[in-house]
Amino acid sequence: MEFSDHIKTANVEDVVLRQPLHPPSRGTLCITGHHLLFSDREEGSSQQVLLLLRNIDAIEKSVENLLGYSGFFSNAVLSDRTSGSSGTITIKCKDLRVLQLDIPGMEQCLNIAHSIETLSCLDNVSAMYPFFYRPTDLSLRDQWGLSTPEKQYTQIKQLHKKWRLSSVNESYSVCPSYPPMVIVPNSIDDEMLKKVAKFRQAGRFPVLCYYHRKNGMVRVNQDGHSALVHGYEGTDCTLLICTLAQLIMDPSCRTLEGFLALLDREWLQAGHPFQQRCAHSAYSHARLQYESPVFLLLLDCVWQLWRQFPLALGFSEALLLRLANEVYASDYGTFLCNNDQERCALGVKDRTHCLFWALLRPSERDYYSNPLYEPTELAIWPSVHPQSLQLWRGFFLRWTQQARHLEAVQEEIRTMVIEWARATQR
């Protein structure tokens, strides 16, 4: 079925848009297969709002009287609407934004609402916008991910004595949610791994996650002991714990590129089911069995760490906010599907662009880097006392006036720090 089959009304004039931190505006509303576009028609204004339909979590419809909007709607519009009423659509987005559209004519309102409800919930991965998005400065021939088990194994030569690179999962036959290559102990052969996998949930047998270079142990730092992280499925809290542990102990994971590679390794390759967990956000009326904001919880934990150690992490809060948006609705294919096998089968790696490489472009890298970053080899153990933890206002209160003032101040401080750093380098 074509996208046009779901669009009965593609354009509506004299629509009033109400959104946070902006006065109401009147303009033209357009709906496409992937976006909702509002263009302000007020004299002297060129404002446009482009909303990815996948970002819409829920909508609500209500009826209003057109006479109450005589200041916004033209006389021609009022006379043409014999019903004497208009429809109001309240759009609740996955990024916690709430928009309101006042649409003249109930039929047009219902058509728009139906299109939004249908197009924002399409389950066909290949029909989603990342398969159509083509930025001019990226190529589909570019490398897709940042990290692989092969690259990790090659970079850590100490592993070669007690660990080996196994292709036991080359065809995803042993564990669908693991990558084709995994790092396992030298003393265990592939046949033993296959037998072990049969007694594990979804075949997720133990593999190497982190190797502490100072003492040669697989985890954690002070006692010099190895640790096994075990979860029911190993695709949620297990990944959360492993990621935070590496961020705390391994300085290479705290740079911008290192952190993105860590997410690539521990969440994408290790099989976090993004498609299931992030289908909806806070406003959805539907609650599916497998939904859970585990990745958002990780970002919140990283923000707490970033706030307690503002000089130790090479990335900014803006990166965490960007990732929080992208995981629910994105132009890129990075967070599509539930595991590496599905991404390969559906052509995600061949036909979509990788978000992580986009974030590492020079223009993006400057914005998402921490200008106060001072590398340290020390572990950064955070305080977990209740008084040490704070509400992540940048995310949960981002559409309030207070948050915007704080954002402006932070950007001004950032600019001052960057200018000061440039001056000292001359």
Side-chain angles (χ1 to χ4, degrees):
M1 183 176 287
E2 299 292 333
F3 294 122
S4 57
D5 296 335
H6 300 295
I7 305 175
K8 295 182 179 179
T9 301
N11 300 279
V12 184
E13 298 289 343
D14 278 315
V15 173
V16 177
L17 170 66
R18 305 173 190 276
Q19 58 178 328
L21 309 176
H22 293 85
S25 56
R26 181 182 62 184
T28 302
L29 181 69
C30 301
I31 187 168
T32 71
H34 295 108
H35 289 89
L36 202 65
L37 173 63
F38 178 84
S39 300
D40 193 338
R41 297 305 187 201
E42 297 288 347
E43 186 176 352
S45 175
S46 59
Q47 176 188 0
Q48 283 193 337
V49 176
L50 184 65
L51 178 65
L52 190 64
L53 290 174
R54 196 71 186 173
N55 191 16
I56 297 175
D57 210 21
I59 67 169
E60 296 175 356
K61 304 180 287 289
S62 62
V63 177
E64 301 289 348
N65 194 316
L66 274 177
L67 297 178
Y69 295 98
S70 57
F72 279 107
F73 298 128
S74 63
N75 293 331
V77 171
L78 289 171
S79 61
D80 287 345
R81 303 300 188 260
T82 57
S83 63
S85 63
S86 69
T88 297
I89 299 177
T90 300
I91 298 177
K92 299 181 177 181
C93 302
K94 296 176 181 177
D95 61 6
L96 306 184
R97 185 172 22 162
V98 178
L99 308 176
Q100 180 178 305
L101 297 170
D102 297 326
I103 302 176
M106 282 303 301
E107 181 179 357
Q108 295 188 113
C109 177
L110 292 175
N111 287 342
I112 292 292
H114 178 267
S115 297
I116 292 175
E117 289 176 327
T118 303
L119 293 171
S120 63
C121 297
L122 292 179
D123 292 328
N124 184 0
V125 172
S126 300
M128 295 180 183
Y129 186 60
F131 283 87
F132 299 84
Y133 180 57
R134 295 293 179 264
T136 56
D137 53 349
L138 292 176
S139 171
L140 290 177
R141 293 190 295 270
D142 295 339
Q143 180 182 344
W144 203 79
L146 295 180
S147 178
T148 63
E150 297 95 319
K151 184 177 181 180
Q152 181 186 12
Y153 186 77
T154 302
Q155 290 176 337
I156 307 178
K157 295 183 179 180
Q158 299 96 312
L159 288 177
H160 301 179
K161 297 179 180 179
K162 298 181 179 180
W163 300 82
R164 67 185 182 89
L165 195 62
S166 171
S167 60
V168 65
N169 197 46
E170 188 172 14
S171 59
Y172 302 100
S173 58
V174 178
C175 179
S177 58
Y178 272 167
M181 306 291 287
V182 290
I183 303 176
V184 297
N186 255 333
S187 57
I188 303 178
D189 59 26
D190 286 352
E191 290 303 315
M192 179 61 71
L193 291 176
K194 293 178 182 178
K195 293 179 181 179
V196 170
K198 293 180 181 179
F199 294 92
R200 307 277 299 186
Q201 179 74 17
R204 290 181 68 88
F205 56 90
V207 298
L208 177 68
C209 167
Y210 172 65
Y211 183 88
H212 197 60
R213 304 190 189 211
K214 290 185 178 180
N215 57 24
M217 295 294 117
V218 286
R219 289 209 129 16
V220 271
N221 174 58
Q222 296 175 337
D223 297 331
H225 297 302
S226 295
L228 174 67
V229 182
H230 180 275
Y232 177 67
E233 292 186 351
T235 57
D236 294 293
C237 291
T238 300
L239 308 183
L240 174 63
I241 293 171
C242 293
T243 303
L244 292 176
Q246 292 180 69
L247 199 59
I248 290 170
M249 293 185 295
D250 190 350
S252 67
C253 294
R254 301 177 202 153
T255 64
L256 174 61
E257 186 167 358
F259 179 61
L260 295 178
L262 176 64
L263 297 181
D264 190 351
R265 183 171 66 249
E266 294 299 328
W267 290 80
L268 294 172
Q269 294 178 38
H272 179 67
F274 285 102
Q275 201 76 16
Q276 292 179 344
R277 299 291 187 263
C278 303
H280 297 285
S281 184
Y283 293 117
S284 176
H285 304 306
R287 274 288 164 256
L288 301 181
Q289 178 182 359
Y290 299 107
E291 290 179 6
S292 180
V294 183
F295 189 73
L296 181 59
L297 175 59
L298 167 74
L299 297 178
D300 197 323
C301 292
V302 175
W303 179 82
Q304 302 289 342
L305 193 67
W306 177 85
R307 189 188 63 81
Q308 293 188 28
F309 298 93
L311 306 183
L313 300 179
F315 49 87
S316 65
E317 180 185 14
L319 176 70
L320 303 179
L321 292 171
R322 175 74 181 272
L323 293 171
N325 289 340
E326 298 284 346
V327 73
Y328 284 100
S330 179
D331 296 341
Y332 301 88
T334 300
F335 297 121
L336 292 179
C337 302
N338 294 306
N339 52 55
D340 191 69
Q341 182 186 30
E342 288 185 11
R343 293 185 192 96
C344 291
L346 294 174
V348 172
K349 294 185 176 182
D350 299 322
R351 298 166 53 198
T352 74
H353 292 285
C354 176
L355 170 66
F356 296 154
W357 282 113
L359 295 176
L360 291 174
R361 290 177 292 186
S363 58
E364 301 283 333
R365 181 191 290 267
D366 290 343
Y367 180 70
Y368 294 115
S369 296
N370 179 7
L372 297 174
Y373 176 52
E374 293 184 3
T376 175
E377 294 295 319
L378 300 175
I380 51 174
W381 293 103
S383 169
V384 294
H385 295 294
Q387 61 267 29
S388 299
L389 304 178
Q390 294 188 7
L391 175 68
W392 185 10
R393 295 177 178 272
F395 177 78
F396 293 104
L397 302 179
R398 73 171 94 177
W399 303 110
T400 64
Q401 194 66 48
Q402 179 185 9
R404 284 304 170 92
H405 289 324
L406 180 60
E407 181 182 341
V409 171
Q410 290 176 336
E411 185 59 31
E412 185 176 350
I413 294 175
R414 173 184 170 83
T415 302
M416 293 173 60
V417 171
I418 292 176
E419 291 178 352
W420 175 82
R422 290 175 178 172
T424 57
Q425 292 175 356
R426 293 174 182 171

